[in-house]
């Protein structure tokens, strides 16, 4: 048996992922690295390059062992060869291996090398480092000096920097809206998500760069402002929280490390009804810049705190994933414009948004809009994608256009929502009533809104206490979009 070189605790990014991912899905949580050798390469030579890569990075010699990462001194990786690429995703069980390699042959020489790496051990930036290293090894060129390793980033929840950053996020999000209501619907464990993919024309892609230079902001801020403006038009909520991902890499040494560091962050936008598109972009830029070095934190602890006793599960208004182009990899050809419908597992404590926008630049710019049930029942993903481009063009041509004048119709459900609740949630009264009456023994419920609180007058079959009823409703509330747990109860349990 291969000896263990070292073992260390998983870092907070890994711990958050493992809590989000179902155990049965771990084998499918992978990231591929696809590299084409610069010249026709014999299989033995390519296999040697892969083994040299594995020897260079702890992450590729790792195993998942409970809450620890175990690194082996050597890894006898099996390098498979074939003339056809394996169909479907390549599974990698992280408790058995960190990666798998496949050489695609053409006339006996290696055409492409595919390394499939467990997402437990690396993120997208780590994969870019692997692609650069593997490209150099296949070309017979010198690689960079020995990179930093996974064990250099083993910061768990008790690390001083992690504790400080977690406290920072608690203070930042303490008064932020707990959720953004698109429509009041009941959720299922598995739902359909509608995804529209829209390749950006070279003209639109160039427009983003021009807009960034004109406003003095990043592309991430431009797209964040675009989607935030869209949310304001759709549901009338200007104070928002959006989910994004920070790479948590700040130096060249960080960029060369193969490890899992990327982590979701939740960024508040203090928007106003009279914001222009420019103003909204600038708000996104400010909150992003202020929090940029705070991405290493205990997300599990933060979300547990946000979801404790608030009356509504924490859910960001939208998610923005901006993926810049990397160097060294040979990506597949850009996919065409299309709409697809997939199954997605709904896991309310994971704090994922019902509207998600991804902008990718590998190799060309593509915008993907994903709309889950509360959004897609109001408007399709393709229409939402087109709305994003409309706002982008308005930002470029007249950045001082008021958001309220953008030619985007609000969702029909917006007119029925009640604002002003202390959670920041726009309350759907029907959804809240359905939540309360879903409890066995509850015969009827009447709601009243006053002083930023909700009073429920409840008729019950048997005696119940407000404390007991509130606890039951808190467990059920995440499955009722637009609902809140009433703050106060009047209980009528008189015999019928």
């Amino acid at each position: 048996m291969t000896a263990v070189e070292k073992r260390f605790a998983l870092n907070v990014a890994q711990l958050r992922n493992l809590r989000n991912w179902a155990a049965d899905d771990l084998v499918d949580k992978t990231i591929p690295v696809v590299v084409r050798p610069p010249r026709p390469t014999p299989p033995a030579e390519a296999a040697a390059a892969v083994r040299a890569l594995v020897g260079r990075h702890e992450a590729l010699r790792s195993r998942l062992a409970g809450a620890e990462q175990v690194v082996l001194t050597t890894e006898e990786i099996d390098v498979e060869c074939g003339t056809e690429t394996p169909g479907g995703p390549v599974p990698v069980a992280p408790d058995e291996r960190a990666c798998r390699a496949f050489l695609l042959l053409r006339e006996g020489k290696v055409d492409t090398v595919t390394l499939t790496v467990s997402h437990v051990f690396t993120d997208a930036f780590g994969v870019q480092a692997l692609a650069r290293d593997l490209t150099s090894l296949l070309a017979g060129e010198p690689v960079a000096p020995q990179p930093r390793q996974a064990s250099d980033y083993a910061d768990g929840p008790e690390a001083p920097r992690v504790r400080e950053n977690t406290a920072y996020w608690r203070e930042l999000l303490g008064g932020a809206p707990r959720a953004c209501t698109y429509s009041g619907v009941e959720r299922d464990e598995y739902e359909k998500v509608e995804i529209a993919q829209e390749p950006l024309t070279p003209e639109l892609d160039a427009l983003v760069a021009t807009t960034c230079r004109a406003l003095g902001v990043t592309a991430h801020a431009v797209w964040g402002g675009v989607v935030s403006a869209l949310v304001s038009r759709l549901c009338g909520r200007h104070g928002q929280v959006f989910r994004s991902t920070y790479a948590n890499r700040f130096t060249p040494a960080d960029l060369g490390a193969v490890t899992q560091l990327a982590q979701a962050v939740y960024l508040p936008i203090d928007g106003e009804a009279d914001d222009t598109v420019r103003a909204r972009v600038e708000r996104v830029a400010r909150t992003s810049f202020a929090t940029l070095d705070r991405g290493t934190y205990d997300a599990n602890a933060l979300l547990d705190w946000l979801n404790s006793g608030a009356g509504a599960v924490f859910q960001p208004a939208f998610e923005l994933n901006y993926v810049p182009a990397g160097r060294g990899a040979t990506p597949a050809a850009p996919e065409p414009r299309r709409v697809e419908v997939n199954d997605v597992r709904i896991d309310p404590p994971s704090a994922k948004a019902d509207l998600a926008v991804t902008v990718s630049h590998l190799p060309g710019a593509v915008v993907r809009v994903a709309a889950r049930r509360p959004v897609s029942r109001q408007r399709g993903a393709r229409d939402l994608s087109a709305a994003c481009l409309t706002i982008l063009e308005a930002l470029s041509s007249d950045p001082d256009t008021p958001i309220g004048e953008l030619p985007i119709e609000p969702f029909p459900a917006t007119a029925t929502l009640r604002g002003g609740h202390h959670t920041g949630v726009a309350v759907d009264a029907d959804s809240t009533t359905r939540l309360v009456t879903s409890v066995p023994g509850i015969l009827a419920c009447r709601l009243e809104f006053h002083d930023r609180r909700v009073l429920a007058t409840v008729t019950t079959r048997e005696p119940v206490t407000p404390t007991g009823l509130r606890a039951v409703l808190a467990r059920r509330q995440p499955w009722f979009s637009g609902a809140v747990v009433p703050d106060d109860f009047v209980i009528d349990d008189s015999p019928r």
Side-chain angles (χ1 to χ4, degrees):
M1 175 179 288
T2 302
V4 172
E5 178 179 323
K6 61 181 70 172
R7 62 174 63 233
F8 46 89
L10 299 176
N11 66 37
V12 285
Q14 292 172 306
L15 290 171
R16 181 60 195 161
N17 283 341
L18 290 178
R19 182 156 145 181
N20 275 355
W21 298 338
D24 292 343
D25 295 338
L26 279 182
V27 297
D28 297 320
K29 298 295 183 180
T30 60
I31 312 181
V33 183
V34 183
V35 173
R36 176 164 289 164
R39 52 182 169 72
T41 302
E45 188 176 320
V50 170
R51 294 191 175 99
L53 183 73
V54 171
R56 179 174 163 82
H57 294 283
E58 286 180 358
L60 302 185
R61 307 193 308 276
S62 290
R63 301 288 187 274
L64 177 65
E68 289 188 323
Q69 183 169 339
V70 175
V71 179
L72 305 181
T73 55
T74 60
E75 175 69 280
E76 296 300 325
I77 183 172
D78 292 327
V79 180
E80 304 174 56
C81 299
T83 57
E84 293 185 6
T85 302
V90 177
V92 177
D95 57 342
E96 299 176 1
R97 66 180 80 193
C99 61
R100 297 177 65 175
F102 180 80
L103 310 180
L104 180 64
L105 304 181
R106 293 283 186 266
E107 298 180 350
K109 301 293 186 179
V110 176
D111 181 72
T112 56
V113 179
T114 301
L115 191 71
T116 304
V117 187
S118 171
H119 204 350
V120 171
F121 303 123
T122 191
D123 55 27
F125 277 87
V127 162
Q128 291 185 23
L130 287 174
R132 290 193 296 269
D133 283 357
L134 184 54
T135 299
S136 296
L137 290 166
L138 288 167
E141 299 172 351
V143 292
Q146 186 65 17
R148 296 196 76 191
Q149 299 294 332
S151 55
D152 296 320
Y153 298 91
D155 286 337
E158 298 306 316
R161 179 177 63 147
V162 171
R163 292 170 63 89
E164 177 186 340
N165 288 346
T166 306
Y168 170 88
W169 286 108
R170 283 183 57 158
E171 181 177 355
L172 186 67
L173 295 171
R178 284 300 184 268
C180 177
T181 304
Y182 292 103
S183 62
V185 296
E186 293 182 41
R187 314 304 297 264
D188 296 317
E189 183 178 1
Y190 285 89
E191 293 180 359
K192 302 294 185 183
V193 58
E194 187 176 307
I195 303 171
Q197 178 171 279
E198 186 74 36
L200 286 180
T201 63
E203 292 77 17
L204 277 176
D205 197 17
L207 192 65
V208 175
T210 301
T211 303
C212 290
R213 288 191 291 269
L215 301 183
V217 298
T218 64
H220 178 273
V222 165
W223 285 108
V226 164
V227 185
S228 177
L230 174 64
V231 171
S232 286
R233 291 297 299 142
L234 295 178
C235 55
R237 300 295 103 187
H238 308 293
Q240 304 162 5
V241 176
F242 77 99
R243 171 179 167 136
S244 193
T245 301
Y246 281 178
N248 297 318
R249 297 170 187 259
F250 304 101
T251 68
D254 293 338
L255 293 174
V258 180
T259 186
Q260 172 59 268
L261 293 178
Q263 186 152 272
V265 292
Y266 303 92
L267 305 173
I269 304 171
D270 231 357
E272 300 287 349
D274 59 355
D275 277 349
T276 63
V277 189
R278 181 206 300 266
R280 189 61 58 86
V281 168
E282 290 173 344
R283 292 182 190 275
V284 172
R286 283 195 295 272
T287 192
S288 300
F289 183 77
T291 59
L292 189 59
D293 61 349
R294 299 285 189 169
T296 301
Y297 74 104
D298 187 351
N300 288 336
L302 176 71
L303 293 176
D304 287 345
W305 176 76
L306 286 170
N307 288 325
S308 61
V313 68
F314 176 72
Q315 184 182 29
F318 66 91
E319 179 173 344
L320 173 66
N321 296 302
Y322 181 77
V323 185
R327 294 180 301 166
T330 304
E335 298 182 31
R337 182 173 188 253
R338 70 165 188 262
V339 175
E340 61 186 48
V341 178
N342 296 330
D343 290 319
V344 62
R345 185 171 70 94
I346 302 299
D347 179 26
S350 68
K352 293 186 177 179
D354 289 322
L355 174 64
V357 176
T358 299
V359 182
S360 175
H361 285 264
L362 289 173
V366 177
V367 176
R368 295 180 183 87
V369 175
R372 303 200 302 192
R373 182 186 291 171
V375 175
S376 62
R377 73 192 296 263
Q378 298 286 303
R379 196 159 300 158
R382 174 157 286 173
D383 288 342
L384 296 171
S385 175
C388 285
L389 300 186
T390 295
I391 298 172
L392 176 63
E393 290 172 341
L395 175 64
S396 173
S397 61
D398 185 3
D400 294 316
T401 300
I403 288 175
E405 295 180 9
L406 293 170
I408 298 165
E409 290 298 314
F411 280 167
T414 300
T416 67
L417 303 179
R418 296 286 298 266
H421 191 253
H422 65 86
T423 61
V425 177
V427 179
D428 185 291
D430 289 342
S431 186
T432 302
T433 300
R434 291 194 299 272
L435 164 65
V436 176
T437 56
S438 73
V439 178
I442 302 296
L443 303 177
C445 171
R446 179 170 55 84
L447 301 178
E448 298 176 41
F449 295 79
H450 60 90
D451 296 331
R452 305 187 70 210
R453 298 172 70 84
V454 176
L455 168 68
T457 300
V458 177
T459 303
T460 68
R461 184 177 291 111
E462 303 290 343
V464 299
T465 66
T467 300
L469 180 56
R470 187 174 291 110
V472 172
L473 292 174
R475 292 192 294 271
R476 291 171 174 250
Q477 183 275 332
W479 300 97
F480 290 79
S481 176
V484 296
V485 176
D487 303 286
D488 306 294
F489 293 92
V490 174
I491 296 177
D492 177 9
D493 57 8
S494 57
R496 296 290 173 186

